[in-house]
Amino acid sequence: DVTEAAKHDRAVAAMANELRQLIDTANAPIFGIDVNGNVNEWNNKTAEITGFSKEEAFDKPLVSTFIVPNLRESVQDILDNALNGIESSNYELEFRTKSNEIRYLLVNATTRRDAENNIVGVVGVAQDVTEAAKHDRAVAAMANELRQLIDTANAPIFGIDVNGNVN
């Protein structure tokens, strides 16, 4: 019956609209590519983090445009795997922002399929871990600096454990 079909179509359209709104307004960066690696999903949070609007990002090759050069090959491998149905979770990538800063994102790459179950792209849901990554790098740099100071000091520096043994 035509009335039932129209009712079903309206329900599907409403659900699609609700999902679109959920993606656009999510508090996590969400971005996606088509089978050619070009951006076809770029939510508000991704735009906020990167400084690139949805319009600026759409149809651009994700890897060569937004990923730092030294990670392009590994990120491309992750995306190629997802385009073959092999999904990845919790991999860290570095996005280059419009202002040429680096944002560290922890990403899950999920295969995107159409109604006939054909692979049509990849969607990435991410967590911005930039501040934690910067902190970790600063702590590591400080530890390295202290190790160098101890190794090159002009005075004897040694440690003693709880039993009085030099370590």
Side-chain angles (χ1 to χ4, degrees):
D1 156 321
V2 175
T3 306
E4 283 302 312
K7 189 175 177 182
H8 178 263
D9 288 348
R10 282 193 305 275
V12 169
M15 183 181 292
N17 190 42
E18 189 176 327
L19 290 172
R20 163 65 35 220
Q21 188 175 13
L22 177 69
I23 289 168
D24 284 343
T25 61
N27 200 27
I30 300 173
F31 53 91
I33 59 165
D34 60 22
V35 292
N36 298 312
N38 296 320
V39 174
N40 63 1
E41 188 67 62
W42 195 264
N43 77 345
N44 297 342
K45 193 60 155 179
T46 307
E48 177 188 320
I49 285 171
T50 65
F52 291 100
S53 69
K54 182 181 284 195
E55 294 73 26
E56 290 172 306
F58 258 49
D59 296 322
K60 301 278 189 316
L62 177 77
V63 173
S64 62
T65 308
F66 302 105
I67 305 301
V68 297
N70 63 318
L71 292 181
R72 287 180 183 161
E73 188 176 333
S74 63
V75 171
Q76 189 64 59
D77 288 345
I78 299 264
L79 296 175
D80 288 345
N81 282 340
L83 286 169
N84 286 303
I86 303 164
E87 300 177 344
S88 298
S89 59
N90 295 324
Y91 71 92
E92 190 175 299
L93 60 78
E94 298 173 20
F95 253 71
R96 183 163 304 285
T97 68
K98 194 172 187 176
S99 61
N100 218 23
E101 296 174 58
I102 302 295
R103 300 301 295 199
Y104 300 91
L105 301 180
L106 194 61
V107 180
N108 289 350
T110 304
T111 304
R112 197 176 205 176
R113 297 176 186 271
D114 66 12
E116 285 78 44
N117 208 32
N118 299 308
I119 294 173
V120 295
V122 178
V123 66
V125 179
Q127 179 180 356
D128 185 358
V129 295
T130 303
E131 295 311 312
K134 284 181 181 176
H135 178 263
D136 290 349
R137 283 168 178 74
V139 168
M142 186 182 299
N144 188 43
E145 196 174 317
L146 290 172
R147 170 63 47 210
Q148 278 184 312
L149 178 66
I150 290 169
D151 289 347
T152 61
N154 283 334
I157 299 175
F158 57 91
I160 299 174
D161 65 19
V162 294
N163 299 316
N165 297 316
V166 175
N167 59 7

